Amino acid sequence: MAGACGSMSSTPTGSAASSSTGPNESNTSLLLVGVIVRPHGLRGELVVEVRTDSPEERFAPGAELVVLPAGSSAPRSSGPGSSAPGSSGPPRVLTVETSRPHSGRLLVRFAQASDREAAEALRGIRLLVDAAALPPPADPEEFHVHQLEGLRAELADGSVVGTVREIAHGPGGELLVLARPPRPDALVPFVTAIVPVVDLDGGRVVLDPPEGLLDD
């Protein structure tokens, strides 16, 4: 699908992480939606740094989030809601019981952590969702963040100028971060005047950059 540049939908932000599953399962693209910072109080609540545009959906009661322990590059391979065999580590999936805003972050209580001791074991955990489970944006001019990451960036004449490495959220709006090794990354405002075409089927975005935007 090719279309004019639109806006970000209220979807997870951050980089996607591919995880290899078992021989009878397909690969899953996981998207970061939050990071557990520390326990709060004595009843199992946790301070979560939000990495999604729609926390009210991702951290709604009953929502299930995939666990990625700090320092890991792939989620645990044990079944949902259980610890890895022979491990006393955190469960692979956490179920949200309650969440509420707190000083620019969220206070979240999970079903698997009913007290401070259990909550303490979750410190530093990254929380992810399966990209395949996200519905497509209702507006064809909107795009999920993970749909844009990895797209080839071209000029109107077809010359390749980089690859979309990630989406940055600045005070003036979203920016495409273009990887251009060995040159430094370039920041491209995600607006129609500069990104007139997003071609998901073709795996590319077409840029019409103003003079100097892509200079080192």
Side-chain angles (χ1 to χ4, degrees):
M1 175 185 66
C5 165
S7 59
M8 295 294 162
S9 61
S10 54
T11 57
T13 60
S15 299
S18 294
S19 64
S20 296
T21 56
N24 296 321
E25 299 175 303
S26 60
N27 287 343
T28 300
S29 181
L30 298 174
L31 301 172
L32 183 68
V33 297
V35 178
I36 295 176
V37 179
R38 62 178 182 274
H40 177 84
L42 302 176
R43 297 185 177 181
E45 280 190 311
L46 290 143
V47 177
V48 174
E49 180 181 328
V50 176
R51 298 289 183 86
T52 171
D53 294 333
S54 52
E56 69 286 348
E57 296 178 21
R58 307 303 163 218
F59 294 93
E64 292 187 340
L65 301 173
V66 177
V67 163
L68 188 62
S72 297
S73 58
R76 297 179 182 273
S77 58
S78 55
S82 62
S83 296
S87 170
S88 59
R92 179 175 182 259
V93 172
L94 293 174
T95 305
V96 177
E97 280 196 342
T98 64
S99 67
R100 58 191 176 97
H102 176 73
S103 301
R105 293 172 168 173
L106 286 181
L107 290 180
V108 182
R109 181 182 290 115
F110 296 102
Q112 293 82 359
S114 58
D115 56 30
R116 186 178 180 88
E117 182 178 357
E120 190 69 47
L122 300 177
R123 185 189 292 265
I125 289 293
R126 286 174 285 170
L127 304 168
L128 307 101
V129 295
D130 182 357
L134 297 176
D139 187 340
E141 296 299 312
E142 291 187 340
F143 305 93
H144 289 316
V145 169
H146 70 276
Q147 292 178 299
L148 299 172
E149 291 174 339
L151 294 183
R152 184 175 67 257
E154 299 179 353
L155 299 180
D157 63 6
S159 57
V160 177
V161 294
T163 303
V164 180
R165 182 167 62 80
E166 62 178 317
I167 311 302
H169 298 267
E174 289 83 11
L175 300 165
L176 303 182
V177 181
L178 299 188
R180 308 181 299 165
R183 302 167 68 191
D185 289 352
L187 300 179
V188 177
F190 190 57
V191 295
T192 302
I194 300 176
V195 190
V197 176
V198 176
D199 182 3
L200 297 181
D201 290 339
R204 64 177 187 145
V205 292
V206 177
L207 309 182
D208 183 14
E211 185 177 356
L213 181 64
L214 299 180
D215 292 346
D216 291 341

